[in-house]
Amino acid sequence: MSLVAMLTVPMLLGAGEVGLKLEAARSDVDEWPTPRLEKETADALERTSHQKWSEHYLVVGDEVRGDVSVRGVFAPSKEGSGFRFTWQLMTLDCPPMSDVVGFDFKSSALAPNSLDAMAVQLAKRAARLLDKARSKRGASCIDPLDLPPTPSELEMMKIRETAKAQREFAPPPRPPGVPPRGPPVERPPPRPRPIPVRSEPVF
């Protein structure tokens, strides 16, 4: 796809936002060292994600999984004229599906507006791939609830059952502020009460 074609593609609304995980952006062009290319590409994905017509958001860090991972390579075109930015896309949930898309540039001068246009089209391609994967999820993926428990999950289940049984047989908790009962105090047996004797008069 040429840069001119990218700029003239209408901004169609997609089925929703897709979380793009930028895994890497490698450069085989001397004017673009890889660290600089990665930064500029990430900035373009971040900038375009804040537009009202955006179909994506940029996933950063390992805490958030994301929907589609992307890896890009910027290199001279194999045809001998111009340059090509080739992207590999991979869904991060079941089912795993992949796609490849390339963007052609006449020169190595990757201006911010050119990178933004590429980021928009890359997000659209990722959204279509994600929709395709989701449509096949019911037939291709196993519900995690249907899987047998792992050994670690079995061990945790045993621990929970043991703790539950111990709670059921334990004495009820003492109300707060009530001191614990000590051993019963032995009291001496009661002494017999004296029997009163009535004296009767003698005549």
Side-chain angles (χ1 to χ4, degrees):
M1 180 183 295
S2 66
L3 178 59
V4 176
M6 288 194 308
L7 294 174
T8 56
V9 173
M11 304 297 183
L12 301 176
L13 293 178
E17 290 190 343
V18 54
L20 286 183
K21 182 92 169 179
L22 180 59
E23 299 286 352
R26 193 184 82 241
S27 175
D28 293 339
V29 179
D30 293 338
E31 299 94 314
W32 282 93
T34 292
R36 179 189 171 202
L37 183 70
E38 286 183 339
K39 180 183 182 306
E40 293 296 330
T41 305
D43 289 347
L45 288 169
E46 178 67 16
R47 275 195 307 272
T48 53
S49 70
H50 295 296
Q51 302 298 329
K52 63 181 180 181
W53 37 259
S54 172
E55 294 188 32
H56 72 284
Y57 58 94
L58 183 62
V59 176
V60 180
D62 297 330
E63 293 79 13
V64 184
R65 182 173 176 80
D67 299 314
V68 179
S69 70
V70 292
R71 292 176 175 269
V73 178
F74 185 54
S77 177
K78 293 181 180 180
E79 286 74 17
S81 62
F83 299 84
R84 189 171 182 83
F85 213 138
T86 305
W87 288 93
Q88 292 183 338
L89 299 84
M90 174 69 74
T91 57
L92 293 173
D93 287 326
C94 183
M97 299 188 71
S98 61
D99 192 9
V100 177
V101 59
F103 301 93
D104 294 326
F105 297 86
K106 293 181 179 179
S107 72
S108 62
L110 299 177
N113 61 339
S114 300
L115 290 172
D116 287 0
M118 180 183 67
V120 169
Q121 298 307 313
L122 180 63
K124 289 181 180 293
R125 191 72 171 238
R128 287 196 292 270
L129 180 65
L130 182 62
D131 288 343
K132 185 177 179 181
R134 284 175 173 170
S135 68
K136 298 180 180 297
R137 183 168 296 171
S140 305
C141 302
I142 300 175
D143 191 331
L145 297 177
D146 295 335
L147 293 174
T150 62
S152 60
E153 290 173 341
L154 284 173
E155 187 65 25
M156 289 301 298
M157 289 169 62
K158 290 179 182 178
I159 293 174
R160 286 194 294 267
E161 290 175 0
T162 303
K164 182 180 178 182
Q166 289 175 350
R167 286 195 301 270
E168 290 177 353
F169 289 104
R174 215 172 40 249
V178 177
R181 290 185 176 181
V185 178
E186 294 186 3
R187 296 181 178 179
R191 292 185 300 176
R193 298 176 62 186
I195 300 174
V197 178
R198 292 192 305 171
S199 59
E200 295 182 359
V202 178
F203 295 98

